[in-house]
Amino acid sequence: MFKKIIILIVLLLAVATGFLFRENIIKAYNEFGKNVQQFQKSDLGNIISQIGKEILTPPPLRIGGSENDVVLVKAKIIAQTNIQRFDNGMLPPLVENAQLNAAALAKAKDMFENQYFEHNSPSGVDPGALVKKYGYDYIVSGENLILGNFASEQEVVQKWMNSPGHRANILHARFSEIGVAMVKGEYEGHTVWIGVQEFGLPLDSCPEPSEALKIQIEAGKADLEARVAAIDAKKQEIDSTSRNSKRYNELVDEYNAMAQEYNAKVQVMKGLIVQYNSQINAFNQCVAGK
């Protein structure tokens, strides 16, 4: 009889210890909601910096000169520009861009049509808005304007080079593309040439963060939130179940399994977020020219 009593006491202690052990696990995992909120706030803090689209526009350059029969060619303006880049620092040649060409031509024609000689049109279109209108999205953009009569394309580019602001555009190390227009017409009662150079560094020069990875992270966040709700519901079910019932132990096991899956998902999400933030940082540094 005494032996049976000892066995019974041992069994009761074992059961009580089991419940206590499970309760401790529940208490430990019960912090998961707070943990995920902290995780999201800290690890999802990196965002793409607002691109400060830099537009370089030195004052338009008016040059005199007598009217002549010289025909100025766009391709030769680009060639002379690249010669200057090579001769003044061996900078890479600018690549002709069709969208920038279209913007430059539209700008030259608009200035003749509306009789103005400024970077901003009377309707308020600035050089940045102009190139974007023709499908050119940029990180850095610049515009050179010149008006007058000239003996050659070399003279046109040299006049720009003699002006500090225009020279800076021609020799800008970040510009990689160019568009040019040379148009002859009537301006303020005189027959003159208007020359336009549109410079740019296209936005796609910097690799943007993966949109697919961003979508995957957003889906993962939603999945974690759903798991939080499910684990909370399971905890409520445990609280409303008698500890002496078999179902109580089953619920605790289910709760702990759900919490373990949740924690495993959090680790996966952290890896994805670190990867995405690394892409964002690389993009931001590229945009800043670092």
Side-chain angles (χ1 to χ4, degrees), residues 63-278:
I63 303 297
S66 302
E67 183 180 349
N68 55 51
D69 296 329
V70 172
V71 176
L72 302 174
V73 180
K74 171 186 65 178
K76 292 183 179 180
I77 295 289
I78 295 174
Q80 288 295 324
T81 299
N82 283 329
I83 288 172
Q84 292 292 346
R85 285 175 65 84
F86 182 83
D87 289 345
N88 292 273
M90 299 184 67
L91 296 168
L94 299 173
V95 177
E96 185 175 1
N97 178 278
Q99 294 164 319
L100 292 179
N101 276 340
L105 181 59
K107 176 72 173 182
K109 288 182 175 180
D110 188 57
M111 285 189 288
F112 276 123
E113 182 178 346
N114 292 291
Q115 292 293 288
Y116 72 97
F117 188 55
E118 300 291 342
H119 289 293
N120 291 359
S121 73
S123 61
V125 178
D126 64 29
L130 175 66
V131 296
K132 286 200 71 173
K133 178 181 177 181
Y134 286 88
Y136 192 85
D137 204 356
Y138 62 91
I139 296 169
V140 186
S141 178
E143 182 178 81
N144 282 354
L145 301 179
I146 196 167
L147 181 153
N149 284 295
F150 312 92
S152 66
E153 292 83 3
Q154 182 179 6
E155 182 187 356
V156 174
V157 175
Q158 188 59 55
K159 294 292 185 183
W160 272 322
M161 288 294 292
N162 293 341
S163 166
H166 299 86
R167 177 189 179 91
N169 272 352
I170 290 173
L171 301 182
H172 198 300
R174 297 199 73 194
F175 287 145
S176 62
E177 297 180 331
I178 188 172
V180 170
M182 295 299 301
V183 179
K184 194 172 187 178
E186 294 295 319
Y187 183 79
E188 296 181 346
H190 301 281
T191 300
V192 295
W193 286 89
I194 286 182
V196 181
Q197 286 180 314
E198 299 289 353
F199 303 93
L201 174 66
L203 182 60
D204 59 14
S205 297
C206 294
E208 293 191 53
S210 168
E211 184 66 22
L213 182 56
K214 180 182 178 182
I215 292 171
Q216 186 179 358
I217 290 172
E218 293 299 328
K221 286 172 57 183
D223 177 64
L224 287 179
E225 290 171 1
R227 288 175 183 273
V228 167
I231 294 173
D232 278 340
K234 185 66 65 176
K235 180 62 169 59
Q236 291 176 9
E237 189 177 356
I238 290 172
D239 291 342
S240 63
T241 301
S242 171
R243 296 188 180 189
N244 297 322
S245 68
K246 180 181 178 181
R247 180 58 181 153
Y248 180 85
N249 292 342
E250 293 173 347
L251 289 172
V252 170
D253 288 338
E254 291 170 7
Y255 178 94
N256 289 337
M258 292 168 68
Q260 288 173 358
E261 285 186 18
Y262 166 83
N263 286 340
K265 291 284 185 180
V266 165
Q267 295 307 312
V268 172
M269 279 286 289
K270 281 187 175 182
L272 294 177
I273 290 171
V274 167
Q275 181 182 350
Y276 186 66
N277 285 345
S278 177

